[in-house]
Amino acid sequence: MIVTYNWLNEFVDFNLSPEELSHRLTMAGLEVDAMERLGDGLDNVVVARLSSVESHPGADRLTLCQVETGSGTVPVVCGARNHKAGDLVALAQVGSVLPGDFKIKKSKIRGEVSMGMLCSEKELGLAEEAEGIMILSADLPLGQPVFEALGLKDVRYEIGLTPNRPDCLSLLGVAREVAAMVGKPLKMPSVVVEEGGGSIDSLTSVSVEEAGLCPRYAARLIRGVRIGPSPEWLVRRLEAVGQRSINNVVDVTNYVLMELGHPLHAFDFSLLRQGRIVVRRPQEGQAFNTLDGAERILGSYNLAICDGVGPVALAGIMGGENSEVQPETTDILLESAYFNPVSIRRSSKRLGIHSESSHRFERGADVDMVPLALDRAASLIHEVAGGEIARGVIDIYPNRIEPRRISLEVQRSNRILGLDLEQQEVLRLLRSIGLEAEPATDREDEAVYVTVPTFRPDLEREIDLIEEVARLHGYDRIPVTMPAGRMICHQPAEHQRGVSSVREAMVGAGFSEVTNYSFIAPGAWDKLGLAGDDSRRETVRILNPLNEDQSVMRTSLVPSLLENVSRNLAYRLGDLRLFELRPVFRPLAGEELPEEGLRLVAALCGRREPEGWAQGAEKVDFFDLKGVAETLLESFSLSGVQWQSDAGELFLHPGKSCSLSVKASQLGTLGEVHPRTLESFGIDQPVFLLDLDFEALLKASGERPGFRPLSRYPDTERDSALLLDEEVPAQRLLDVLEGAKGKLVEDVVLFDLYRGKGIPEGKKSIALRVRYRSAEKTLTDDEINAAHEKLIKALCKKLEAQVR
């Protein structure tokens, strides 16, 4: 919201300095984002008269002007064409510095000396666009600074409002806050409506079919207006608050919008078919062209302002081209209404339109401002555009919206704020911003009853009033105290410990955590190559997605992580170790909310070691990722993990992947990503992927191992080589060893695998090393040999192995 110092002074008599006003507004909760002094440093831009205007001898599009400043005459070369001899103009003299740090110097343009520049409104920072130089009123004194002569020296404040303060989206609302600050009365603008001619009821009619969406609709008819440029005072006032002048009628509606905060709309009455207004929903799929030139497809969720045939405006958002005020317009139907905020917000969002009008209506306009804004605008239109205001006003308000009545306990307010305010002081503070507050005589405690006016829709509960007391008393006047606190010994839950354990394990393995959006594109499953009946294709769709690529909740973390890999590779970061531990969302039949469960995904690619003169250039492979998975499983004290070759995932290579399970409970998969999937993500090098179900991992975790004292007796190792069938997996061998090792076996390592010369077809040779140790004594050779022989016999019997 933009306001100016001088305009605020018309509503409240105050003598605060511009800097002090900025500070006081900010401390009152209306944060001033920027303060700009209009005309500051531009005293060298003066009122001057064009004594002569001639064509430039060296350029057809330039003119050579002799400019009288009151203290002399200087030559100026000008590129505009809207001036003539005798006009008063704004002359930036040599040495002036215009907005944008543009310094005016003496120059020679196409051979002619130019001693300054004739300025437009844009060059002086008074408008965003300008078609020519600024032509001033003929009665201004020569040589006087332009901003001073026009009364434009002012201070402009840009206020950043929170969405709960729609009452301050106007000069009146901000002035109400200033009046409360300085303890002065608020002066409302005078409204005098001079009616004449026929009665409005005999000339037009209004019917509201959707009273729930439009609780109040008022209108006035003004006939015989003359559309044209606005008077200078109106143009300057609008430009000062960032509004562009269009014509006198539209400018008045924008002026009242900024002054009172209530949106208005002017219809060309001659373009309203059947000469009447109907407030209703449009037909589904109906096309409608708005004032911005775009075609909108309307739906039943919209509310439209219609004439006797079809829509002429989107209620509370934007008017239509088919009823726009044009230069030949003579009769105006002026609308002032109140619309349901939720309806306006929904329509504005779905249609992708945001206007000054919708910005106010969707936050909650003031229903009681409807007639005042209507009369104020009608009076000003009559003043600047002439015409005759028809007698009477149409005001449809079937169900009056009553103001809220809230009680406030003074002692509770003091207790919450740490203050010691008396009841009378609380009453004074609340009354200063227009709230009707009175003592609660029917209660024994010190309390007040507050009737909240309709311009404050944000005040709904007692705590809201307590916040107003704090704000009006002054946040800086609330005493500073140290918060009281208790030391509590908090033991994290098992789930939290598990999450921390996973993150520590992954970071310890050299991985970096990534965080992606919880919603992805529906096409992500096609890029993964999931089967058509894969349950992960059943997703929860978002009702109001930011875009189509973020329209469904993810059921897998894999697509997002592969996108991360692809993006990093595109930036030539080829050695990657990434992981993500986040929830996925699976829809539940008959349930409104989806099932949420954490999953862990990790991706590995590139070099095994960082690049360097002393490091190798080997690339990571499946076993690097397998080692990470084993370390992770070990941190959960898992035992009996089954590694099954071929994960069964279409996005993993069938010959280079496996699945993990514990007691028939699936933990997840890992392996090399299938080349077809890599191609769909634009990845041109091998990537190894781990995808685990964290919830299943946590459920299957065992008890944390306790401390066991180290044996002080020596260990002894025995090596053996066994001939096995090619189909026997290493895990099967380890399972047999686990069941037969006895209490003397401390560790077993498979340290060699051999196929080739001397090994029969379909066989493989596996060498294992067993370490024996007792916690009670030094073992003898006989004890060790007996234990080792028993172990090897168990392997030979259960696996049909042969000792080499």
Side-chain angles (χ1 to χ4, degrees):
M1 179 64 195
I2 297 176
V3 300
T4 66
Y5 188 95
N6 291 343
W7 201 351
L8 285 173
N9 236 316
E10 294 179 11
F11 285 88
V12 185
D13 290 326
F14 64 91
N15 56 5
L16 301 174
S17 68
E19 292 78 12
E20 187 178 2
L21 177 60
S22 174
H23 174 72
R24 297 282 293 272
L25 285 172
T26 299
M27 294 307 296
L30 310 182
E31 184 176 0
V32 177
D33 293 334
M35 185 179 82
E36 179 185 1
R37 293 179 178 272
L38 301 179
D40 193 36
L42 295 176
D43 289 346
N44 214 18
V45 181
V46 299
V47 177
R49 177 183 290 113
L50 301 179
S51 55
S52 68
V53 178
E54 301 174 355
S55 297
H56 192 292
D60 295 339
R61 296 186 178 182
L62 301 178
T63 58
L64 183 59
C65 306
Q66 295 298 319
V67 185
E68 183 183 350
T69 65
S71 59
T73 302
V74 296
V76 177
V77 176
C78 180
R81 308 294 295 181
N82 66 321
H83 55 288
K84 62 183 184 301
D87 285 342
L88 291 190
V89 295
L91 171 66
Q93 303 179 92
V94 174
S96 302
V97 179
L98 300 183
D101 200 27
F102 181 63
K103 189 172 184 179
I104 304 300
K105 302 177 181 178
K106 178 181 178 180
S107 60
K108 183 173 282 189
I109 302 175
R110 297 290 182 93
E112 298 292 335
V113 174
S114 182
M115 298 289 291
M117 185 176 80
L118 305 184
C119 300
S120 68
E121 289 92 337
K122 180 180 179 181
E123 290 155 343
L124 294 179
L126 296 174
E128 294 183 2
E129 298 294 336
E131 296 182 357
I133 64 171
M134 192 175 180
I135 306 300
L136 306 176
S137 299
D139 57 350
L140 298 179
L142 294 183
Q144 187 176 13
V146 167
F147 279 83
E148 183 179 329
L150 296 176
L152 293 178
K153 280 222 166 187
D154 205 347
V155 181
R156 178 162 53 197
Y157 301 93
E158 185 174 342
I159 301 175
L161 294 174
T162 52
N164 68 317
R165 292 303 304 272
D167 59 302
C168 289
L169 287 169
S170 66
L171 266 295
L172 176 63
V174 177
R176 186 182 291 113
E177 294 292 322
V178 176
M181 293 175 198
V182 298
K184 297 291 184 68
L186 179 67
K187 296 183 291 185
M188 296 294 290
S190 61
V191 178
V192 178
V193 179
E194 298 180 3
E195 299 179 342
S199 169
I200 188 173
D201 293 328
S202 64
L203 301 172
T204 186
S205 66
V206 174
S207 61
V208 177
E209 296 181 3
E210 297 287 344
L213 302 181
C214 178
R216 190 172 190 178
Y217 192 98
R220 278 191 178 274
L221 182 62
I222 310 171
R223 308 179 73 184
V225 299
R226 296 179 299 278
I227 305 299
S230 295
E232 188 172 331
W233 70 266
L234 181 54
V235 174
R236 301 291 174 236
R237 182 55 61 82
L238 288 175
E239 290 174 345
V241 293
Q243 295 288 315
R244 180 173 60 91
S245 176
I246 299 175
N247 60 53
N248 48 8
V249 170
V250 176
D251 286 355
V252 164
T253 61
N254 287 334
Y255 179 87
V256 175
L257 171 71
M258 303 307 295
E259 180 186 56
L260 302 181
H262 198 84
L264 303 164
H265 188 68
F267 298 98
D268 185 331
F269 184 64
S270 66
L271 298 179
L272 297 181
R273 293 156 292 189
Q274 300 181 12
R276 63 192 182 97
I277 289 291
V278 181
V279 183
R280 60 175 174 82
R281 297 179 189 268
Q283 297 177 1
E284 188 70 36
Q286 186 170 8
F288 177 66
N289 291 332
T290 47
L291 285 174
D292 58 1
E295 183 180 78
R296 315 285 180 178
I297 305 301
L298 307 184
S300 58
Y301 59 87
N302 296 122
L303 181 66
I305 308 300
C306 304
D307 56 15
V309 177
V312 292
L314 285 175
I317 300 176
M318 188 175 290
E321 288 184 333
N322 58 352
S323 61
E324 180 181 6
V325 173
Q326 301 176 15
E328 60 273 14
T329 298
T330 57
D331 298 339
I332 296 293
L333 183 72
L334 188 62
E335 166 196 284
S336 179
Y338 173 82
F339 300 106
N340 181 284
V342 175
S343 170
I344 301 301
R345 186 161 53 247
R346 182 183 296 116
S347 294
S348 177
K349 177 74 173 177
R350 291 193 178 183
L351 293 174
I353 310 176
H354 184 267
S355 63
E356 291 282 358
S357 177
S358 67
H359 186 77
R360 287 161 174 80
F361 277 128
E362 67 186 20
R363 283 160 173 76
D366 180 9
V367 67
D368 288 347
M369 184 59 71
V370 168
L372 177 60
L374 180 64
D375 289 347
R376 174 68 166 159
S379 174
L380 288 174
I381 289 175
H382 181 264
E383 177 184 335
V384 302
E388 185 178 61
I389 303 173
R391 287 186 293 106
V393 59
I394 295 175
D395 188 359
I396 300 176
Y397 192 14
N399 302 309
R400 180 174 177 80
I401 299 176
E402 297 295 338
R404 296 190 189 92
R405 184 176 170 86
I406 308 173
S407 64
L408 170 62
E409 184 182 335
V410 176
Q411 289 183 354
R412 182 166 186 264
S413 174
N414 286 331
R415 186 169 60 253
I416 290 174
L417 301 178
L419 299 174
D420 189 21
L421 300 180
E422 299 291 339
Q423 184 186 59
Q424 289 302 315
E425 177 63 10
V426 172
L427 290 170
R428 185 191 69 81
L429 291 173
L430 296 176
R431 288 167 179 168
S432 69
I433 55 171
L435 307 184
E436 298 179 16
E438 58 185 15
T441 57
D442 59 339
R443 294 174 56 169
E444 294 181 0
D445 57 342
E446 277 200 341
V448 298
Y449 288 130
V450 179
T451 301
V452 180
T454 52
F455 62 77
R456 289 301 302 270
D458 58 307
L459 302 181
E460 300 177 342
R461 303 169 299 164
E462 181 187 39
I463 196 66
D464 297 328
L465 296 178
I466 293 175
E467 182 181 358
E468 291 299 291
V469 172
R471 189 175 65 83
L472 296 168
H473 181 70
Y475 294 126
D476 53 344
R477 297 175 62 190
I478 296 177
V480 177
T481 58
M482 292 298 292
R486 295 183 301 166
M487 295 296 292
I488 300 175
C489 181
H490 174 68
Q491 188 72 18
E494 182 182 2
H495 195 277
Q496 292 175 308
R497 291 198 302 270
V499 169
S500 298
S501 177
V502 168
R503 286 201 166 101
E504 289 171 3
M506 297 305 294
V507 172
F511 284 73
S512 298
E513 185 173 9
V514 300
T515 302
N516 292 297
Y517 286 112
S518 297
F519 21 83
I520 59 175
W525 316 125
D526 296 328
K527 295 176 72 173
L528 280 186
L530 295 185
D533 59 351
D534 195 300
S535 62
R536 284 169 291 190
R537 287 184 176 271
E538 298 177 11
T539 56
V540 177
R541 187 164 186 85
I542 299 172
L543 292 178
N544 55 341
L546 298 175
N547 52 61
E548 186 60 25
D549 288 340
Q550 296 179 328
S551 60
V552 297
M553 302 299 291
R554 64 189 177 194
T555 56
S556 171
L557 304 179
V558 173
S560 299
L561 193 66
L562 290 179
E563 290 286 0
N564 297 146
V565 172
S566 176
R567 191 174 300 112
N568 277 274
L569 292 177
Y571 284 99
R572 302 176 65 184
L573 301 173
D575 304 329
L576 299 175
R577 290 173 180 258
L578 305 177
F579 83 95
E580 183 172 16
L581 178 62
R582 301 289 291 168
V584 295
F585 306 87
R586 298 287 184 91
L588 294 174
E591 297 290 338
E592 183 179 0
L593 297 177
E595 177 188 26
E596 296 185 32
L598 288 179
R599 290 196 75 88
L600 169 70
V601 292
L604 187 66
C605 66
R607 288 183 175 87
R608 179 169 291 142
E609 297 179 347
E611 186 176 12
W613 68 271
Q615 282 76 35
E618 297 89 355
K619 302 290 186 179
V620 296
D621 58 22
F622 171 85
F623 295 101
D624 290 278
L625 189 61
K626 183 174 183 288
V628 172
E630 289 174 336
T631 302
L632 186 64
L633 297 176
E634 185 178 338
S635 69
F636 279 84
S637 303
L638 285 177
S639 61
V641 177
Q642 301 294 320
W643 299 73
Q644 182 66 42
S645 60
D646 190 357
E649 292 282 16
L650 295 178
F651 56 83
L652 294 180
H653 200 297
K656 302 177 182 179
S657 64
C658 68
S659 63
L660 284 73
S661 62
V662 174
K663 298 178 181 177
S665 175
Q666 283 294 121
L667 297 182
T669 57
L670 74 153
E672 183 177 345
V673 180
H674 199 288
R676 180 180 59 248
T677 304
L678 293 178
E679 183 181 358
S680 67
F681 282 91
I683 299 174
D684 58 1
Q685 70 179 63
V687 175
F688 300 90
L689 187 75
L690 169 70
D691 182 10
L692 295 180
D693 184 342
F694 174 81
E695 308 298 342
L697 190 66
L698 188 64
K699 186 177 180 180
S701 62
E703 292 188 9
R704 304 284 175 175
F707 173 76
R708 186 176 65 182
L710 300 175
S711 175
R712 59 191 181 91
Y713 299 101
D715 67 317
T716 302
E717 293 179 344
R718 292 286 188 272
D719 293 349
S720 296
L722 300 174
L723 197 64
L724 297 169
D725 289 340
E726 186 68 53
E727 293 77 14
V728 177
Q731 183 64 45
R732 172 65 176 150
L733 180 62
L734 293 174
D735 290 343
V736 173
L737 287 171
E738 181 66 26
K741 67 182 183 180
K743 65 178 182 178
L744 298 182
V745 176
E746 186 175 71
D747 190 29
V748 179
V749 177
L750 302 181
F751 68 89
D752 186 45
L753 170 65
Y754 174 69
R755 300 181 183 91
K757 187 176 180 180
I759 303 299
E761 186 77 18
K763 297 287 186 176
K764 61 185 175 183
S765 174
I766 290 182
L768 57 91
R769 177 170 295 146
V770 184
R771 184 166 70 243
Y772 295 92
R773 192 199 307 262
S774 171
E776 301 170 353
K777 63 178 182 175
T778 300
L779 297 175
T780 65
D781 283 345
D782 291 339
E783 289 173 325
I784 296 171
N785 292 336
H788 192 67
E789 184 179 353
K790 179 182 178 183
L791 193 66
I792 297 302
K793 284 183 177 179
L795 291 175
C796 293
K797 179 180 180 180
K798 295 185 178 181
L799 301 179
E800 298 181 358
Q802 300 175 21
V803 179
R804 293 186 63 204

